[in-house]
Amino acid sequence: MRPLNNIKSTAVPLPIEDVDTDQIIPARFLKALTREGFGDNLFRDWRYNNDNTPVDNFVLNNDLYSGEILIAGNNFGCGSSREHAAWALGDYGFRVVVSSFFADIFKGNALNNGILPIQLTADELDSIFKAIEKNPKCKFEVDLKEQSFTVMDTEEAFSFEIGSYKKMCLQNGYDDIDYLISQKDKIEAFENLQIMY
Amino acid sequence: MQKTLFDKLWESHIVDSIDGTDILYIDQHFIHEVTSPQAFDGLRRRGIPVMRTHKTLGTADHNVPTINQHLPISEPMSRAQVNKLTQNCDEFGVELYQLGHEKNGIVHIIGPELGVTKPGMTIVCGDSHTSTHGAFGCIAFGIGTSQVEQTLATQCILMNRPKTMRITVDGKLSKGVYAKDIILYIISKLTAAGGTGYFIEYAGSAITSLSMEARMTICNMSIEMGARGGMIAPDETTFDYIKGRERAPQDEAWEKAMGYWQTLKSDDGAVFDREEHFDASDIAPMVTYGTNPGMGIKIDASIPEVENIESFDKSLSYMNFQKGQSLLGHKIQHVFIGSCTNARIEDLRIVADFVKGKRKADDVSVMIVPGSKQVEAQAKEEGLDQIFEEAGFELREPGCSACLGMNEDKVPAGEYCISTSNRNFEGRQGPGARTILASPLMAAAAAVSGRIEDVRELIH
């Protein structure tokens, strides 16, 4: 996993609520056997028409907007547990997703793939959308160490929460699995005490 | 101190904790073809085995055709993915019910029907509807592929403990109201995000009076309000369901297990982080009108006139519905009866009981996809297949099918499907498909007239 510490980037606004993982990556694209290449089909049915031509007014098809940060509406990533949603966002180039609320499984999947989900208040989210509306090239700074998200045009800074363990993993690019494997003795000791029916 | 059932089970499965995150031991891991290949690759890369093969069980369900399952899968990518599952299970020594096997079926249907799912367990699967198994008094929830890999490698995952919520539904259900209506009603009240961060325990007389099949329908859709899972304390109904099943404990082991299972309940006075109460008599047959499962109304209600919410308008525009509109009498083109929510034998019996001697509307296609080979066999043994055939309903072979549109079972763009599945997201049943979620009885009634009906007026 690629470490994540400090990111300065423009952002892509997606002010839609309840974006579910079927929108992020539709089920018909889940047939692959690897984690790569899902970015091409990120938001497929919003991004392309049935004849595969780009949908003009969808934000990913608008040259004004680009960057490593996605700013999304409330309850982002609800629905299916497919980690392919996190892979698609990462493969496309997003490293940070900002919303006022994330679905649980998506949040965990993002963190396990080096993508930082930043939860801010509804008002803070709104001010970010406004800043992008005013200047689509507005830059934002994510400082994981300080747990701050700054609108560089206005110098407004918002703080966000992240568990210390997950923060350490992201900063160093560690997977949960490395840690769990290192705990194998404890796990086996636990099993020996467990009564199973 | 009084504890909730959830807290008791969670605490009894903690191996260790790190900065507030728990290493949670997993008693049973189910895998399927779509969310496991990358996890097995991870093991291969690290050169490590599956830690506990006997606690891991595989089935092919998401990406399989529901006709001609005895033939090789024609779609090359689907074939490759299903074959990969077989190869991985062979290589790592994991038991697999592959396509066509007499015990194959949707993962959340076969676990309970084989007696693998038992009270008090922690259960995970790379599928959000793993919450289904909570009906047996389990902590069961969906995980992503990285966590599938963790479970394969270490039989544990790292998780922060969710908060607890109890949803109590008391009273007697009205005629024509089923478990699907209860859960669609609850989600419509709490919204599609209302349960996020919580693990739910369902309680109350309207819940405990339900069969295991119905309880599974309720727990299955816990994720549709964002909750990681939902559970129901086991009782005699639970024990009766498990007894005698293939993998249920026998004889002395059964007595020992019962001694433990009977203790599995929240203590009187246990404090939940949140409590919600509903009255069963308030619940009517439900339909959804929008593009998330929280957008549901009673069949005799109208679509709410919500103002100034862009997502709401976008959703209605996708469905081609208007604010204030009633769905009663609305024409539909497709009926899908299936999925891990409603494809158990009880669901098929409800449908058969209603359609016996009737015929589907001419311009409607009706697909019934049983949840497993065993459900399919049972339906045939009871002669339900004959009733379906005479009604013009197509009984297919088991799989997730049109619930998620991974295989060729799709709803064409712009057409309406009344579906017993769990998600009405945009494009869920195929690009442009318009899904209306409802109970099996509501789906059966719509199949006969070609329009959305109020089943209360059709049953006696």
Side-chain angles (χ1 to χ4, degrees), chain A residues 22 46 83 177-178 186 191, chain B residues 16 25 46 52 145-146:
Chain A
D22 275 81
W46 287 347
E83 195 159 314
I177 192 160
D178 296 325
K186 277 187 194 162
E191 282 183 322
Chain B
D16 201 359
Y25 190 81
R46 291 170 199 268
R52 296 289 174 251
T145 296
S146 294

Side-chain angles (χ1 to χ4, degrees), chain A residues 111-112 162-167 169 176 179-180 183, chain B residues 10 14-24 147 150 157-162:
Chain A
L111 287 165
N112 281 335
I162 182 168
S164 54
Y165 167 74
K166 272 293 162 195
K167 181 175 173 177
C169 287
D176 281 350
Y179 175 74
L180 281 172
Q183 301 297 305
Chain B
W10 184 277
I14 295 175
V15 173
D16 201 359
S17 301
I18 169 173
D19 295 340
T21 300
D22 295 324
I23 301 179
L24 191 73
Q147 289 175 309
Q150 290 165 27
I157 60 166
L158 281 166
M159 275 269 287
N160 293 318
R161 188 194 303 208

Side-chain angles (χ1 to χ4, degrees), chain B residues 345 348-350 352-353 378-389 395:
Chain B
I345 189 66
L348 269 56
R349 285 182 191 140
I350 290 167
D353 191 48
Q378 180 72 24
K380 287 181 176 166
E381 197 182 308
E382 295 178 19
L384 308 188
D385 56 333
Q386 286 301 315
I387 296 173
F388 295 144
E389 195 180 327
L395 179 65

Side-chain angles (χ1 to χ4, degrees), chain A residues 15-18 20-23 26-35 38 45-46 50 74-75 78-84 87 101-105 108-109 112-113 163-166 168 175-181 183-184 186-188 190-191 194 196-197, chain B residues 12-16 18-19 23 25 27 34 37-38 41 46 48 51-52 55 63 75 77-78 81 84 118 126-128 142-147 149-150 153-154 156-158 192-193 196-197 223 226 228 256-257 260 292 311 314 404-406 423 425-426 428 431:
Chain A
I16 298 172
E17 295 185 359
D18 302 316
D20 59 74
T21 52
D22 275 81
Q23 307 318 315
R28 60 187 190 278
F29 300 111
L30 308 187
K31 297 180 182 184
L33 300 172
T34 65
R35 294 173 190 240
F38 289 100
D45 293 336
W46 287 347
N50 287 344
N74 196 53
N75 196 26
C78 59
S80 151
S81 64
R82 61 189 69 162
E83 195 159 314
H84 311 68
W87 299 338
F101 199 79
F102 289 95
D104 277 340
I105 305 181
N109 287 341
N112 281 335
N113 286 278
S164 54
Y165 167 74
K166 272 293 162 195
M168 180 274 292
D175 289 339
D176 281 350
I177 192 160
D178 296 325
Y179 175 74
L180 281 172
I181 288 170
Q183 301 297 305
K184 207 110 180 235
K186 277 187 194 162
I187 296 169
E188 284 175 352
F190 175 89
E191 282 183 322
Q194 201 197 25
M196 277 300 294
Y197 295 100
Chain B
S12 70
H13 286 83
I14 295 175
V15 173
D16 201 359
I18 169 173
D19 295 340
I23 301 179
Y25 190 81
D27 297 323
V34 177
Q38 296 86 353
D41 277 348
R46 291 170 199 268
I48 54 175
M51 180 168 160
R52 296 289 174 251
K55 294 183 180 183
N63 193 6
E75 206 277 318
M77 286 184 81
S78 300
Q81 199 174 52
K84 191 74 185 171
K118 288 183 274 287
D127 185 276
S128 62
I143 53 175
T145 296
S146 294
Q147 289 175 309
E149 185 178 337
Q150 290 165 27
T154 67
C156 286
I157 60 166
L158 281 166
T196 307
I223 182 71
R228 204 63 188 262
K256 274 192 180 165
Y260 170 58
N292 73 57
S311 304
K314 182 176 183 295
L404 84 162
M406 257 200 98
R423 288 188 174 134
F425 296 153
E426 279 185 37
R428 174 80 178 178

Side-chain angles (χ1 to χ4, degrees), chain A residues 123-183:
Chain A
D123 287 344
E124 289 165 350
L125 186 69
D126 200 41
S127 71
I128 295 169
F129 282 130
K130 283 193 177 124
I132 300 175
E133 200 177 312
K134 204 168 163 194
N135 173 20
K137 297 294 175 200
C138 173
K139 280 197 166 182
F140 301 89
E141 180 175 9
V142 176
D143 186 333
L144 180 56
K145 183 162 173 280
E146 297 300 323
Q147 295 177 214
S148 71
F149 183 89
T150 307
V151 185
M152 295 178 76
D153 276 10
T154 61
E155 292 182 2
E156 277 177 293
F158 310 126
S159 63
F160 60 88
E161 294 294 318
I162 182 168
S164 54
Y165 167 74
K166 272 293 162 195
K167 181 175 173 177
M168 180 274 292
C169 287
L170 275 181
Q171 287 174 317
N172 296 290
Y174 294 159
D175 289 339
D176 281 350
I177 192 160
D178 296 325
Y179 175 74
L180 281 172
I181 288 170
S182 75
Q183 301 297 305

Side-chain angles (χ1 to χ4, degrees), chain B residues 57 95 97 101-103 110-116 118 241-250 374:
Chain B
L57 180 64
E95 189 177 9
Y97 292 135
H101 190 285
E102 61 179 12
K103 289 169 192 163
I110 68 166
E113 83 183 0
L114 292 168
V116 174
K118 288 183 274 287
Y241 179 96
I242 299 171
K243 193 161 193 179
R245 292 194 183 260
E246 187 182 315
R247 306 212 185 178
Q250 312 286 334
Q374 291 202 50

Side-chain angles (χ1 to χ4, degrees), chain B residues 234-346:
Chain B
D235 59 12
E236 290 306 317
T237 305
T238 322
F239 309 140
D240 288 348
Y241 179 96
I242 299 171
K243 193 161 193 179
R245 292 194 183 260
E246 187 182 315
R247 306 212 185 178
Q250 312 286 334
D251 308 322
E252 203 179 317
W254 173 264
E255 296 305 324
K256 274 192 180 165
M258 281 289 281
Y260 170 58
W261 294 347
Q262 283 170 330
T263 67
L264 296 176
K265 54 187 166 203
S266 292
D267 297 327
D268 290 340
V271 178
F272 290 78
D273 295 305
R274 184 174 161 194
E275 295 253 19
E276 295 287 343
H277 294 266
F278 298 102
D279 184 344
S281 62
D282 279 347
I283 307 173
M286 298 287 293
V287 283
T288 60
Y289 59 87
T291 56
N292 73 57
M295 300 174 84
I297 46 173
K298 296 178 187 179
I299 182 59
D300 52 2
S302 305
I303 297 175
E305 308 209 17
V306 176
E307 298 295 335
N308 297 326
I309 296 185
E310 200 182 324
S311 304
F312 187 85
D313 293 348
K314 182 176 183 295
S315 183
L316 285 198
S317 154
Y318 179 85
M319 293 300 290
N320 198 24
F321 287 147
Q322 314 298 321
K323 291 170 191 173
Q325 182 182 344
S326 162
L327 263 57
L328 204 54
H330 195 274
K331 274 189 77 116
I332 48 101
Q333 289 78 39
H334 304 273
V335 178
F336 173 63
I337 296 166
S339 87
C340 57
T341 311
N342 280 124
R344 297 179 188 84
I345 189 66
E346 184 177 283

Side-chain angles (χ1 to χ4, degrees), chain B residues 202-214:
Chain B
Y202 299 96
S205 57
I207 301 294
T208 52
S209 64
L210 296 173
S211 67
M212 285 317 294
E213 285 84 352

